[in-house]
Amino acid sequence: GENVEQHPSTLSVQEGDSAVIKCTYSDSASNYFPWYKQELGKGPQLIIDIRSNVGEKKDQRIAVTLNKTAKHFSLHITETQPEDSAVYFCAASPYSSASKIIFGSGTRLSIRP
Amino acid sequence: EAGVAQSPRYKIIEKRQSVAFWCNPISGHATLYWYQQILGQGPKLLIQFQNNGVVDDSQLPKDRFSAERLKGVDSTLKIQPAKLEDSAVYLCASSSRDRGVEAFFGQGTRLTVV
């Protein structure tokens, strides 16, 4: 089955700097890669996703890149702000109407003022 | 649209007791997931329903955990008897057939077994 590895487990960056979180996956059948943000006491919230027919996707300060050959995908947050502090999870899934989503172990991002 | 609703938000029980969690997915969402999230870890899939049928329950400890989804809408997850290691947040998520696997999560139920 699918296995998703995520690193780093913790990341501290200065406000205004960029943050990068990296993930690898094992199942070549996976073609959908969502990223979730989880704040304290809340459920994970989808912030951006990418499908395998695209190498990069951007939404304001957030971007994701995908390298299917290497089975790597990454989340990039630019111009970080205090409200970006949270735990971020990557995930992988075959894109269909009934496919399970396998999560990485999470990255706790802290933004220093 | 209303989000995924879960109850209760918190539950404390003694080991060997039973407990049940309830989930109401987003209206019209055919796929429903239950995840277990142990502190400091990523969510781990326990069971996935498509309408009222089970798609995947390979990670569900079936000797103590059970789940059902009546009429393809609401779902309950039960633990009987609970163990200390069941202490975790239990997350329910749903997704629409039309949107593939874009899953929306509820706030979760935090279970503490003492």
Side-chain angles (χ1 to χ4, degrees):
Chain A
E2 177 64 276
N3 181 52
V4 178
E5 295 193 356
Q6 180 174 350
H7 57 94
S9 57
T10 60
L11 180 61
S12 177
V13 301
Q14 193 76 31
E15 182 177 352
D17 288 350
S18 296
V20 180
I21 301 170
K22 298 182 178 182
C23 291
T24 61
Y25 63 99
S26 61
D27 189 348
S28 57
S30 291
N31 57 8
Y32 174 67
F33 307 92
W35 285 87
Y36 285 83
K37 176 183 181 182
Q38 187 173 30
E39 297 175 321
L40 196 62
K42 297 184 178 180
Q45 179 183 14
L46 180 70
I47 56 171
I48 195 167
D49 56 21
I50 190 168
R51 298 189 175 96
S52 60
N53 57 344
V54 175
E56 183 174 356
K57 181 177 178 180
K58 190 173 181 180
D59 182 3
Q60 299 182 352
R61 297 185 297 107
I62 295 174
V64 291
T65 58
L66 172 64
N67 182 331
K68 279 219 77 177
T69 302
K71 297 182 185 172
H72 290 173
F73 58 115
S74 300
L75 176 72
H76 304 252
I77 306 174
T78 59
E79 300 173 13
T80 52
Q81 300 170 5
E83 54 264 36
D84 295 330
S85 293
V87 179
Y88 292 80
F89 293 98
C90 61
S93 176
Y95 184 77
S96 72
S97 61
S99 296
K100 60 185 177 183
I101 307 167
I102 305 302
F103 283 81
S105 54
T107 297
R108 181 173 297 279
L109 175 63
S110 301
I111 308 301
R112 302 190 305 271
Chain B
E1 61 184 358
V4 176
Q6 289 189 247
S7 67
R9 286 295 315 276
Y10 307 93
K11 190 75 176 179
I12 300 174
I13 61 172
E14 295 182 350
K15 59 184 179 183
R16 293 187 290 274
Q17 286 187 324
S18 62
V19 63
F21 313 126
W22 173 82
C23 173
N24 180 234
I26 293 172
S27 178
H29 279 195
T31 305
L32 185 147
Y33 309 83
W34 282 103
Y35 282 86
Q36 179 192 58
Q37 186 176 25
I38 293 173
L39 187 65
Q41 298 182 17
K44 170 189 162 186
L45 180 67
L46 292 176
I47 189 167
Q48 178 182 344
F49 292 93
Q50 182 75 8
N51 296 308
N52 60 350
V54 175
V55 173
D56 189 315
D57 63 356
S58 57
Q59 297 296 307
L60 188 72
K62 298 180 186 64
D63 57 334
R64 299 185 300 106
F65 286 64
S66 64
E68 61 180 3
R69 189 180 185 193
L70 301 175
K71 300 180 181 178
V73 182
D74 292 5
S75 178
T76 56
L77 176 70
K78 297 179 181 178
I79 307 175
Q80 181 179 10
K83 292 185 176 181
L84 296 177
E85 58 260 36
D86 298 332
S87 294
V89 175
Y90 291 84
L91 295 162
C92 179
S94 69
S95 65
S96 162
R97 178 183 294 274
D98 293 338
R99 301 182 66 173
V101 292
E102 294 177 39
F104 298 86
F105 281 81
Q107 287 192 298
T109 296
R110 180 176 295 279
L111 173 68
T112 302
V113 183
V114 298

